[in-house]
Short mmCIF file of all heavy atoms in Angstrom, two decimals:
data_model
loop_
_atom_site.label_atom_id
_atom_site.label_comp_id
_atom_site.label_asym_id
_atom_site.label_seq_id
_atom_site.Cartn_x
_atom_site.Cartn_y
_atom_site.Cartn_z
N MET A 8 22.52 112.49 20.37
CA MET A 8 23.56 113.18 19.65
C MET A 8 24.25 112.17 18.71
O MET A 8 24.40 111.02 19.05
CB MET A 8 24.57 113.76 20.63
CG MET A 8 25.63 114.59 19.95
SD MET A 8 26.74 115.44 21.07
CE MET A 8 25.67 116.67 21.74
N LYS A 9 24.63 112.64 17.56
CA LYS A 9 25.30 111.79 16.59
C LYS A 9 26.78 112.16 16.49
O LYS A 9 27.17 113.26 16.84
CB LYS A 9 24.65 111.92 15.23
CG LYS A 9 23.25 111.36 15.23
CD LYS A 9 22.72 111.22 13.84
CE LYS A 9 21.35 110.56 13.93
NZ LYS A 9 21.00 109.89 12.74
N SER A 10 27.57 111.21 16.01
CA SER A 10 29.00 111.41 15.82
C SER A 10 29.39 110.98 14.42
O SER A 10 28.78 110.07 13.85
CB SER A 10 29.81 110.58 16.82
OG SER A 10 29.58 111.00 18.12
N THR A 11 30.37 111.64 13.89
CA THR A 11 30.95 111.24 12.61
C THR A 11 32.30 110.62 12.90
O THR A 11 33.10 111.18 13.64
CB THR A 11 31.14 112.45 11.67
OG1 THR A 11 29.86 113.04 11.44
CG2 THR A 11 31.74 112.03 10.35
N ILE A 12 32.53 109.44 12.33
CA ILE A 12 33.82 108.78 12.51
C ILE A 12 34.36 108.35 11.15
O ILE A 12 33.59 108.19 10.20
CB ILE A 12 33.73 107.56 13.45
CG1 ILE A 12 32.86 106.45 12.85
CG2 ILE A 12 33.20 107.95 14.82
CD1 ILE A 12 32.96 105.15 13.59
N HIS A 13 35.65 108.18 11.10
CA HIS A 13 36.30 107.62 9.92
C HIS A 13 37.01 106.35 10.33
O HIS A 13 37.64 106.31 11.39
CB HIS A 13 37.35 108.57 9.34
CG HIS A 13 36.77 109.66 8.52
ND1 HIS A 13 37.54 110.63 7.95
CD2 HIS A 13 35.50 109.94 8.15
CE1 HIS A 13 36.77 111.46 7.28
NE2 HIS A 13 35.53 111.06 7.39
N ILE A 14 36.90 105.35 9.50
CA ILE A 14 37.67 104.12 9.67
C ILE A 14 38.63 104.09 8.50
O ILE A 14 38.22 103.86 7.35
CB ILE A 14 36.75 102.88 9.68
CG1 ILE A 14 35.71 103.02 10.78
CG2 ILE A 14 37.58 101.61 9.84
CD1 ILE A 14 34.50 102.15 10.61
N GLU A 15 39.88 104.39 8.78
CA GLU A 15 40.90 104.43 7.74
C GLU A 15 41.54 103.05 7.63
O GLU A 15 42.05 102.53 8.62
CB GLU A 15 41.97 105.46 8.06
CG GLU A 15 41.44 106.88 8.08
CD GLU A 15 42.52 107.89 8.43
OE1 GLU A 15 43.60 107.50 8.92
OE2 GLU A 15 42.26 109.08 8.21
N THR A 16 41.49 102.48 6.44
CA THR A 16 42.16 101.21 6.21
C THR A 16 43.37 101.50 5.34
O THR A 16 43.30 102.30 4.41
CB THR A 16 41.23 100.19 5.53
OG1 THR A 16 40.74 100.73 4.30
CG2 THR A 16 40.03 99.86 6.42
N TYR A 17 44.48 100.89 5.68
CA TYR A 17 45.73 101.17 4.98
C TYR A 17 46.11 100.10 3.97
O TYR A 17 47.04 100.28 3.20
CB TYR A 17 46.86 101.37 5.99
CG TYR A 17 46.53 102.44 7.00
CD1 TYR A 17 46.47 102.15 8.35
CD2 TYR A 17 46.23 103.74 6.60
CE1 TYR A 17 46.15 103.13 9.28
CE2 TYR A 17 45.90 104.73 7.52
CZ TYR A 17 45.87 104.41 8.86
OH TYR A 17 45.55 105.38 9.77
N THR A 18 45.37 98.99 3.97
CA THR A 18 45.62 97.92 3.00
C THR A 18 44.29 97.48 2.41
O THR A 18 43.23 97.63 3.04
CB THR A 18 46.31 96.70 3.65
OG1 THR A 18 45.41 96.12 4.61
CG2 THR A 18 47.63 97.07 4.30
N MET A 19 44.32 96.94 1.24
CA MET A 19 43.11 96.44 0.59
C MET A 19 42.52 95.28 1.38
O MET A 19 41.30 95.15 1.49
CB MET A 19 43.40 96.01 -0.85
CG MET A 19 42.15 95.69 -1.62
SD MET A 19 40.94 97.03 -1.70
CE MET A 19 41.63 98.03 -2.97
N ALA A 20 43.37 94.46 1.99
CA ALA A 20 42.88 93.34 2.79
C ALA A 20 42.07 93.84 3.98
O ALA A 20 41.00 93.29 4.31
CB ALA A 20 44.04 92.48 3.27
N ALA A 21 42.54 94.88 4.63
CA ALA A 21 41.81 95.45 5.77
C ALA A 21 40.47 96.03 5.30
O ALA A 21 39.44 95.82 5.94
CB ALA A 21 42.65 96.53 6.45
N TYR A 22 40.48 96.73 4.19
CA TYR A 22 39.26 97.31 3.64
C TYR A 22 38.24 96.21 3.33
O TYR A 22 37.07 96.32 3.68
CB TYR A 22 39.59 98.10 2.38
CG TYR A 22 38.37 98.66 1.68
CD1 TYR A 22 37.76 99.81 2.14
CD2 TYR A 22 37.84 98.02 0.56
CE1 TYR A 22 36.64 100.32 1.49
CE2 TYR A 22 36.73 98.52 -0.08
CZ TYR A 22 36.13 99.68 0.39
OH TYR A 22 35.02 100.17 -0.24
N ARG A 23 38.69 95.16 2.69
CA ARG A 23 37.78 94.07 2.30
C ARG A 23 37.23 93.32 3.51
O ARG A 23 36.15 92.75 3.44
CB ARG A 23 38.50 93.10 1.37
CG ARG A 23 38.70 93.67 0.00
CD ARG A 23 39.38 92.69 -0.92
NE ARG A 23 39.57 93.28 -2.23
CZ ARG A 23 40.56 92.97 -3.03
NH1 ARG A 23 41.47 92.08 -2.67
NH2 ARG A 23 40.65 93.55 -4.21
N ALA A 24 37.96 93.31 4.60
CA ALA A 24 37.48 92.64 5.81
C ALA A 24 36.52 93.51 6.61
O ALA A 24 35.53 93.03 7.14
CB ALA A 24 38.67 92.25 6.69
N ILE A 25 36.80 94.80 6.67
CA ILE A 25 36.07 95.69 7.56
C ILE A 25 34.80 96.27 6.94
O ILE A 25 33.75 96.34 7.58
CB ILE A 25 36.99 96.82 8.05
CG1 ILE A 25 38.09 96.22 8.95
CG2 ILE A 25 36.22 97.91 8.78
CD1 ILE A 25 39.19 97.18 9.31
N ARG A 26 34.85 96.69 5.67
CA ARG A 26 33.70 97.36 5.06
C ARG A 26 32.41 96.54 5.13
O ARG A 26 31.37 97.06 5.57
CB ARG A 26 33.98 97.76 3.63
CG ARG A 26 32.84 98.62 3.03
CD ARG A 26 33.01 98.89 1.56
NE ARG A 26 33.09 97.70 0.75
CZ ARG A 26 32.05 96.97 0.35
NH1 ARG A 26 30.84 97.31 0.67
NH2 ARG A 26 32.23 95.90 -0.39
N PRO A 27 32.41 95.26 4.75
CA PRO A 27 31.15 94.51 4.82
C PRO A 27 30.59 94.41 6.24
O PRO A 27 29.39 94.47 6.45
CB PRO A 27 31.51 93.13 4.28
CG PRO A 27 32.77 93.32 3.52
CD PRO A 27 33.48 94.46 4.16
N ALA A 28 31.47 94.29 7.22
CA ALA A 28 31.01 94.19 8.61
C ALA A 28 30.39 95.50 9.08
O ALA A 28 29.38 95.51 9.78
CB ALA A 28 32.18 93.79 9.51
N VAL A 29 31.00 96.61 8.70
CA VAL A 29 30.48 97.92 9.09
C VAL A 29 29.11 98.14 8.46
O VAL A 29 28.17 98.56 9.14
CB VAL A 29 31.47 99.04 8.68
CG1 VAL A 29 30.83 100.41 8.81
CG2 VAL A 29 32.73 98.96 9.52
N VAL A 30 28.98 97.86 7.19
CA VAL A 30 27.69 98.05 6.51
C VAL A 30 26.64 97.12 7.09
O VAL A 30 25.49 97.53 7.32
CB VAL A 30 27.85 97.85 4.99
CG1 VAL A 30 26.50 97.86 4.30
CG2 VAL A 30 28.76 98.92 4.40
N ALA A 31 27.00 95.89 7.38
CA ALA A 31 26.05 94.92 7.94
C ALA A 31 25.62 95.27 9.36
O ALA A 31 24.54 94.85 9.80
CB ALA A 31 26.65 93.52 7.92
N SER A 32 26.41 96.06 10.06
CA SER A 32 26.05 96.44 11.43
C SER A 32 24.80 97.30 11.45
O SER A 32 24.08 97.32 12.45
CB SER A 32 27.21 97.19 12.10
OG SER A 32 27.36 98.48 11.55
N ASN A 33 24.55 98.04 10.38
CA ASN A 33 23.32 98.82 10.21
C ASN A 33 23.05 99.76 11.39
O ASN A 33 21.93 99.86 11.87
CB ASN A 33 22.14 97.88 9.98
CG ASN A 33 20.97 98.59 9.33
OD1 ASN A 33 21.16 99.58 8.63
ND2 ASN A 33 19.78 98.07 9.54
N VAL A 34 24.09 100.45 11.85
CA VAL A 34 23.92 101.36 12.99
C VAL A 34 23.93 102.83 12.59
O VAL A 34 23.84 103.69 13.44
CB VAL A 34 24.98 101.13 14.09
CG1 VAL A 34 24.81 99.78 14.73
CG2 VAL A 34 26.38 101.32 13.54
N GLY A 35 24.08 103.13 11.31
CA GLY A 35 24.11 104.53 10.90
C GLY A 35 24.16 104.67 9.40
O GLY A 35 23.77 103.77 8.67
N THR A 36 24.66 105.81 8.97
CA THR A 36 24.81 106.11 7.56
C THR A 36 26.28 106.02 7.21
O THR A 36 27.12 106.60 7.89
CB THR A 36 24.29 107.53 7.26
OG1 THR A 36 22.95 107.64 7.74
CG2 THR A 36 24.33 107.83 5.78
N PHE A 37 26.58 105.29 6.13
CA PHE A 37 27.97 105.05 5.77
C PHE A 37 28.29 105.56 4.38
O PHE A 37 27.42 105.61 3.51
CB PHE A 37 28.27 103.53 5.82
CG PHE A 37 27.96 102.92 7.14
CD1 PHE A 37 26.77 102.25 7.35
CD2 PHE A 37 28.85 103.05 8.19
CE1 PHE A 37 26.47 101.71 8.58
CE2 PHE A 37 28.56 102.51 9.42
CZ PHE A 37 27.37 101.84 9.61
N GLY A 38 29.54 105.90 4.18
CA GLY A 38 30.03 106.31 2.87
C GLY A 38 31.47 105.87 2.74
O GLY A 38 32.15 105.61 3.74
N VAL A 39 31.93 105.77 1.51
CA VAL A 39 33.30 105.31 1.27
C VAL A 39 33.97 106.25 0.28
O VAL A 39 33.37 106.69 -0.69
CB VAL A 39 33.28 103.88 0.68
CG1 VAL A 39 34.67 103.42 0.30
CG2 VAL A 39 32.64 102.91 1.65
N CYS A 40 35.23 106.55 0.56
CA CYS A 40 36.07 107.31 -0.36
C CYS A 40 37.45 106.69 -0.30
O CYS A 40 38.12 106.75 0.74
CB CYS A 40 36.10 108.78 0.03
SG CYS A 40 37.08 109.77 -1.11
N GLY A 41 37.85 106.07 -1.39
CA GLY A 41 39.13 105.37 -1.39
C GLY A 41 39.08 104.23 -0.39
O GLY A 41 38.18 103.41 -0.42
N LEU A 42 40.04 104.19 0.51
CA LEU A 42 40.08 103.14 1.53
C LEU A 42 39.55 103.63 2.88
O LEU A 42 39.74 102.98 3.90
CB LEU A 42 41.52 102.63 1.70
CG LEU A 42 42.12 101.91 0.50
CD1 LEU A 42 43.57 101.51 0.78
CD2 LEU A 42 41.31 100.70 0.11
N THR A 43 38.86 104.78 2.88
CA THR A 43 38.31 105.33 4.12
C THR A 43 36.81 105.13 4.15
O THR A 43 36.10 105.46 3.20
CB THR A 43 38.65 106.83 4.25
OG1 THR A 43 40.06 106.99 4.24
CG2 THR A 43 38.08 107.41 5.52
N ILE A 44 36.32 104.61 5.26
CA ILE A 44 34.89 104.40 5.47
C ILE A 44 34.44 105.46 6.47
O ILE A 44 34.99 105.57 7.56
CB ILE A 44 34.62 103.00 6.05
CG1 ILE A 44 35.21 101.92 5.13
CG2 ILE A 44 33.13 102.79 6.28
CD1 ILE A 44 35.40 100.58 5.79
N SER A 45 33.47 106.26 6.10
CA SER A 45 32.92 107.30 6.98
C SER A 45 31.57 106.83 7.49
O SER A 45 30.81 106.20 6.76
CB SER A 45 32.73 108.61 6.24
OG SER A 45 33.97 109.10 5.79
N ALA A 46 31.28 107.16 8.74
CA ALA A 46 30.01 106.77 9.32
C ALA A 46 29.47 107.89 10.19
O ALA A 46 30.21 108.52 10.93
CB ALA A 46 30.19 105.51 10.16
N THR A 47 28.17 108.13 10.08
CA THR A 47 27.47 109.01 10.99
C THR A 47 26.56 108.12 11.80
O THR A 47 25.66 107.47 11.26
CB THR A 47 26.66 110.08 10.24
OG1 THR A 47 27.56 110.84 9.42
CG2 THR A 47 25.95 111.01 11.20
N ILE A 48 26.83 108.05 13.10
CA ILE A 48 26.13 107.11 13.97
C ILE A 48 25.66 107.82 15.24
O ILE A 48 26.14 108.90 15.57
CB ILE A 48 27.03 105.92 14.35
CG1 ILE A 48 28.27 106.41 15.10
CG2 ILE A 48 27.42 105.13 13.12
CD1 ILE A 48 29.12 105.30 15.70
N LYS A 49 24.76 107.17 15.95
CA LYS A 49 24.39 107.65 17.29
C LYS A 49 25.61 107.47 18.18
O LYS A 49 26.32 106.46 18.08
CB LYS A 49 23.23 106.85 17.86
CG LYS A 49 21.93 107.05 17.15
CD LYS A 49 20.87 106.20 17.80
CE LYS A 49 19.61 106.17 16.98
NZ LYS A 49 18.65 105.21 17.50
N GLN A 50 25.83 108.42 19.04
CA GLN A 50 26.98 108.34 19.93
C GLN A 50 26.94 107.07 20.77
O GLN A 50 27.98 106.47 21.06
CB GLN A 50 27.02 109.58 20.82
CG GLN A 50 28.34 109.80 21.49
CD GLN A 50 28.40 111.16 22.16
OE1 GLN A 50 27.43 111.92 22.12
NE2 GLN A 50 29.51 111.46 22.77
N SER A 51 25.76 106.61 21.11
CA SER A 51 25.62 105.40 21.93
C SER A 51 26.04 104.14 21.17
O SER A 51 26.30 103.10 21.79
CB SER A 51 24.19 105.26 22.42
OG SER A 51 23.29 105.17 21.32
N ASP A 52 26.12 104.20 19.84
CA ASP A 52 26.52 103.04 19.03
C ASP A 52 28.02 102.99 18.76
O ASP A 52 28.50 102.06 18.13
CB ASP A 52 25.78 103.05 17.68
CG ASP A 52 24.30 102.74 17.83
OD1 ASP A 52 23.94 102.03 18.79
OD2 ASP A 52 23.51 103.23 16.99
N TYR A 53 28.77 103.97 19.23
CA TYR A 53 30.19 104.06 18.94
C TYR A 53 30.95 102.81 19.41
O TYR A 53 31.68 102.20 18.65
CB TYR A 53 30.80 105.32 19.54
CG TYR A 53 32.29 105.43 19.28
CD1 TYR A 53 32.76 105.87 18.06
CD2 TYR A 53 33.22 105.09 20.26
CE1 TYR A 53 34.11 105.96 17.81
CE2 TYR A 53 34.57 105.18 20.02
CZ TYR A 53 35.01 105.62 18.79
OH TYR A 53 36.35 105.69 18.54
N ALA A 54 30.76 102.43 20.66
CA ALA A 54 31.48 101.27 21.20
C ALA A 54 31.13 100.00 20.43
O ALA A 54 32.00 99.17 20.16
CB ALA A 54 31.19 101.11 22.69
N TYR A 55 29.86 99.85 20.07
CA TYR A 55 29.44 98.69 19.30
C TYR A 55 30.13 98.65 17.94
O TYR A 55 30.64 97.60 17.52
CB TYR A 55 27.92 98.69 19.12
CG TYR A 55 27.43 97.63 18.17
CD1 TYR A 55 27.45 96.29 18.54
CD2 TYR A 55 26.95 97.97 16.91
CE1 TYR A 55 27.02 95.31 17.66
CE2 TYR A 55 26.51 96.99 16.03
CZ TYR A 55 26.55 95.67 16.41
OH TYR A 55 26.13 94.70 15.53
N LEU A 56 30.18 99.79 17.26
CA LEU A 56 30.82 99.83 15.95
C LEU A 56 32.32 99.54 16.05
O LEU A 56 32.87 98.83 15.20
CB LEU A 56 30.59 101.18 15.27
CG LEU A 56 31.05 101.26 13.82
CD1 LEU A 56 30.33 100.25 12.95
CD2 LEU A 56 30.85 102.66 13.26
N VAL A 57 32.97 100.04 17.08
CA VAL A 57 34.39 99.74 17.30
C VAL A 57 34.57 98.24 17.49
O VAL A 57 35.50 97.64 16.93
CB VAL A 57 34.95 100.54 18.49
CG1 VAL A 57 36.33 100.03 18.90
CG2 VAL A 57 35.01 102.02 18.14
N ASP A 58 33.69 97.61 18.26
CA ASP A 58 33.77 96.16 18.46
C ASP A 58 33.57 95.41 17.14
O ASP A 58 34.27 94.43 16.87
CB ASP A 58 32.72 95.69 19.47
CG ASP A 58 33.06 96.06 20.90
OD1 ASP A 58 34.25 96.39 21.17
OD2 ASP A 58 32.15 96.02 21.74
N VAL A 59 32.62 95.87 16.32
CA VAL A 59 32.38 95.23 15.02
C VAL A 59 33.63 95.31 14.15
O VAL A 59 34.04 94.31 13.55
CB VAL A 59 31.17 95.90 14.31
CG1 VAL A 59 31.10 95.51 12.83
CG2 VAL A 59 29.88 95.54 15.01
N VAL A 60 34.24 96.49 14.09
CA VAL A 60 35.44 96.68 13.26
C VAL A 60 36.58 95.80 13.77
O VAL A 60 37.23 95.10 12.99
CB VAL A 60 35.86 98.17 13.25
CG1 VAL A 60 37.23 98.35 12.62
CG2 VAL A 60 34.83 99.00 12.51
N ASN A 61 36.83 95.84 15.07
CA ASN A 61 37.93 95.05 15.63
C ASN A 61 37.71 93.56 15.44
O ASN A 61 38.64 92.82 15.13
CB ASN A 61 38.13 95.39 17.11
CG ASN A 61 38.73 96.76 17.30
OD1 ASN A 61 39.45 97.28 16.45
ND2 ASN A 61 38.42 97.38 18.42
N HIS A 62 36.47 93.09 15.62
CA HIS A 62 36.17 91.68 15.44
C HIS A 62 36.34 91.25 13.98
O HIS A 62 36.92 90.19 13.70
CB HIS A 62 34.75 91.36 15.92
CG HIS A 62 34.37 89.94 15.75
ND1 HIS A 62 34.95 88.92 16.46
CD2 HIS A 62 33.47 89.36 14.92
CE1 HIS A 62 34.43 87.76 16.08
NE2 HIS A 62 33.52 88.00 15.15
N ALA A 63 35.87 92.07 13.05
CA ALA A 63 36.02 91.75 11.62
C ALA A 63 37.50 91.67 11.24
O ALA A 63 37.90 90.75 10.52
CB ALA A 63 35.31 92.79 10.77
N ALA A 64 38.27 92.61 11.73
CA ALA A 64 39.70 92.61 11.41
C ALA A 64 40.39 91.40 12.03
O ALA A 64 41.19 90.72 11.38
CB ALA A 64 40.35 93.90 11.91
N GLN A 65 40.09 91.12 13.28
CA GLN A 65 40.72 89.98 13.97
C GLN A 65 40.34 88.67 13.28
O GLN A 65 41.19 87.79 13.10
CB GLN A 65 40.29 89.97 15.42
CG GLN A 65 40.98 88.92 16.25
CD GLN A 65 40.56 88.96 17.71
OE1 GLN A 65 39.44 89.37 18.02
NE2 GLN A 65 41.45 88.55 18.59
N SER A 66 39.08 88.52 12.89
CA SER A 66 38.63 87.30 12.22
C SER A 66 39.33 87.08 10.89
O SER A 66 39.54 85.94 10.47
CB SER A 66 37.12 87.35 11.98
OG SER A 66 36.43 87.35 13.20
N ALA A 67 39.70 88.18 10.24
CA ALA A 67 40.38 88.08 8.94
C ALA A 67 41.90 88.06 9.07
O ALA A 67 42.61 88.02 8.07
CB ALA A 67 39.95 89.24 8.05
N GLY A 68 42.40 88.13 10.30
CA GLY A 68 43.84 88.13 10.50
C GLY A 68 44.51 89.45 10.15
O GLY A 68 45.68 89.49 9.81
N ILE A 69 43.76 90.54 10.26
CA ILE A 69 44.28 91.86 9.95
C ILE A 69 44.91 92.46 11.20
O ILE A 69 44.27 92.53 12.25
CB ILE A 69 43.15 92.79 9.44
CG1 ILE A 69 42.45 92.18 8.21
CG2 ILE A 69 43.66 94.19 9.15
CD1 ILE A 69 43.33 91.97 7.03
N HIS A 70 46.15 92.90 11.09
CA HIS A 70 46.85 93.51 12.22
C HIS A 70 46.31 94.91 12.48
O HIS A 70 45.89 95.61 11.56
CB HIS A 70 48.35 93.56 11.94
CG HIS A 70 49.15 93.94 13.13
ND1 HIS A 70 49.47 95.25 13.41
CD2 HIS A 70 49.66 93.19 14.14
CE1 HIS A 70 50.16 95.29 14.54
NE2 HIS A 70 50.29 94.05 15.00
N ARG A 71 46.33 95.34 13.72
CA ARG A 71 45.78 96.65 14.12
C ARG A 71 46.48 97.81 13.40
O ARG A 71 45.90 98.87 13.22
CB ARG A 71 45.91 96.80 15.64
CG ARG A 71 45.26 98.06 16.21
CD ARG A 71 43.74 98.04 15.97
NE ARG A 71 43.10 99.17 16.60
CZ ARG A 71 42.82 100.31 16.00
NH1 ARG A 71 43.14 100.50 14.74
NH2 ARG A 71 42.22 101.28 16.64
N SER A 72 47.69 97.61 12.97
CA SER A 72 48.41 98.68 12.26
C SER A 72 47.88 98.90 10.84
O SER A 72 48.25 99.88 10.19
CB SER A 72 49.90 98.37 12.20
OG SER A 72 50.13 97.21 11.42
N GLU A 73 46.99 98.04 10.37
CA GLU A 73 46.44 98.15 9.02
C GLU A 73 45.16 98.98 8.95
O GLU A 73 44.63 99.22 7.87
CB GLU A 73 46.20 96.77 8.42
CG GLU A 73 47.47 95.97 8.21
CD GLU A 73 47.21 94.64 7.56
OE1 GLU A 73 46.61 94.62 6.47
OE2 GLU A 73 47.59 93.61 8.15
N TYR A 74 44.67 99.44 10.10
CA TYR A 74 43.47 100.28 10.11
C TYR A 74 43.47 101.16 11.35
O TYR A 74 44.19 100.91 12.31
CB TYR A 74 42.19 99.44 10.06
CG TYR A 74 41.93 98.60 11.29
CD1 TYR A 74 41.07 99.06 12.29
CD2 TYR A 74 42.53 97.36 11.46
CE1 TYR A 74 40.82 98.31 13.41
CE2 TYR A 74 42.28 96.60 12.58
CZ TYR A 74 41.43 97.08 13.55
OH TYR A 74 41.19 96.33 14.68
N ASN A 75 42.67 102.22 11.30
CA ASN A 75 42.56 103.14 12.42
C ASN A 75 41.14 103.67 12.48
O ASN A 75 40.51 103.90 11.44
CB ASN A 75 43.55 104.29 12.26
CG ASN A 75 43.73 105.09 13.53
OD1 ASN A 75 43.39 104.63 14.61
ND2 ASN A 75 44.27 106.28 13.38
N ILE A 76 40.63 103.88 13.68
CA ILE A 76 39.29 104.42 13.88
C ILE A 76 39.46 105.81 14.49
O ILE A 76 40.07 105.97 15.54
CB ILE A 76 38.46 103.53 14.81
CG1 ILE A 76 38.37 102.12 14.22
CG2 ILE A 76 37.08 104.14 15.04
CD1 ILE A 76 37.80 101.09 15.16
N ILE A 77 38.90 106.81 13.80
CA ILE A 77 39.07 108.20 14.23
C ILE A 77 37.70 108.82 14.46
O ILE A 77 36.88 108.89 13.54
CB ILE A 77 39.83 109.01 13.16
CG1 ILE A 77 41.19 108.37 12.89
CG2 ILE A 77 39.99 110.46 13.59
CD1 ILE A 77 41.88 108.92 11.67
N ALA A 78 37.44 109.27 15.69
CA ALA A 78 36.21 110.01 15.98
C ALA A 78 36.45 111.46 15.59
O ALA A 78 37.34 112.11 16.11
CB ALA A 78 35.86 109.90 17.46
N LEU A 79 35.66 111.97 14.65
CA LEU A 79 35.88 113.31 14.14
C LEU A 79 35.13 114.39 14.88
O LEU A 79 35.71 115.36 15.33
CB LEU A 79 35.49 113.37 12.65
CG LEU A 79 36.35 112.56 11.71
CD1 LEU A 79 35.80 112.67 10.31
CD2 LEU A 79 37.78 113.05 11.75
N GLN A 80 33.83 114.25 15.00
CA GLN A 80 33.06 115.32 15.62
C GLN A 80 31.73 114.79 16.12
O GLN A 80 31.23 113.80 15.66
CB GLN A 80 32.80 116.44 14.63
CG GLN A 80 31.98 116.02 13.43
CD GLN A 80 31.82 117.12 12.42
OE1 GLN A 80 32.19 118.24 12.68
NE2 GLN A 80 31.27 116.80 11.27
N LYS A 81 31.19 115.53 17.07
CA LYS A 81 29.85 115.26 17.56
C LYS A 81 28.92 116.26 16.88
O LYS A 81 29.24 117.44 16.77
CB LYS A 81 29.80 115.39 19.07
CG LYS A 81 30.63 114.34 19.75
CD LYS A 81 30.62 114.50 21.23
CE LYS A 81 31.52 113.41 21.81
NZ LYS A 81 31.95 113.71 23.14
N ILE A 82 27.79 115.77 16.42
CA ILE A 82 26.82 116.60 15.72
C ILE A 82 25.66 116.87 16.67
O ILE A 82 24.93 115.94 17.03
CB ILE A 82 26.33 115.91 14.44
CG1 ILE A 82 27.52 115.56 13.55
CG2 ILE A 82 25.32 116.78 13.72
CD1 ILE A 82 27.16 114.63 12.40
N PRO A 83 25.48 118.11 17.11
CA PRO A 83 24.38 118.40 18.05
C PRO A 83 23.02 118.30 17.36
O PRO A 83 22.90 118.51 16.15
CB PRO A 83 24.66 119.84 18.49
CG PRO A 83 25.49 120.43 17.42
CD PRO A 83 26.25 119.29 16.78
N LYS A 84 22.01 117.99 18.15
CA LYS A 84 20.64 117.94 17.62
C LYS A 84 20.18 119.36 17.35
O LYS A 84 20.49 120.29 18.08
CB LYS A 84 19.70 117.30 18.63
CG LYS A 84 19.90 115.83 18.79
CD LYS A 84 18.86 115.29 19.74
CE LYS A 84 19.05 113.80 19.91
NZ LYS A 84 18.06 113.23 20.84
N THR A 85 19.44 119.52 16.27
CA THR A 85 18.86 120.84 15.97
C THR A 85 17.50 120.92 16.64
O THR A 85 16.76 119.95 16.70
CB THR A 85 18.74 121.04 14.46
OG1 THR A 85 17.99 119.97 13.90
CG2 THR A 85 20.10 121.11 13.81
N PRO A 86 17.16 122.10 17.15
CA PRO A 86 15.88 122.24 17.85
C PRO A 86 14.69 122.09 16.93
O PRO A 86 14.65 122.17 15.81
CB PRO A 86 15.93 123.63 18.44
CG PRO A 86 17.12 124.31 17.91
CD PRO A 86 17.92 123.31 17.15
#
């Protein structure tokens, strides 16, 4: 099963720190609109992607209040 998530960044610094790490993780399909990064990933990769985002932000000195990870929906497999 796949999930769609949004990673909302509230500052340009957070966006610049997180986006390259998310894309480099290569765990799904990504898109960007403004400062929001959308990802469609396998549900089993969710925890890994959260770790990637948190590590990238922490490494860049980005405070947790500058970004948010929102799980939007689960996409069922079609028969």
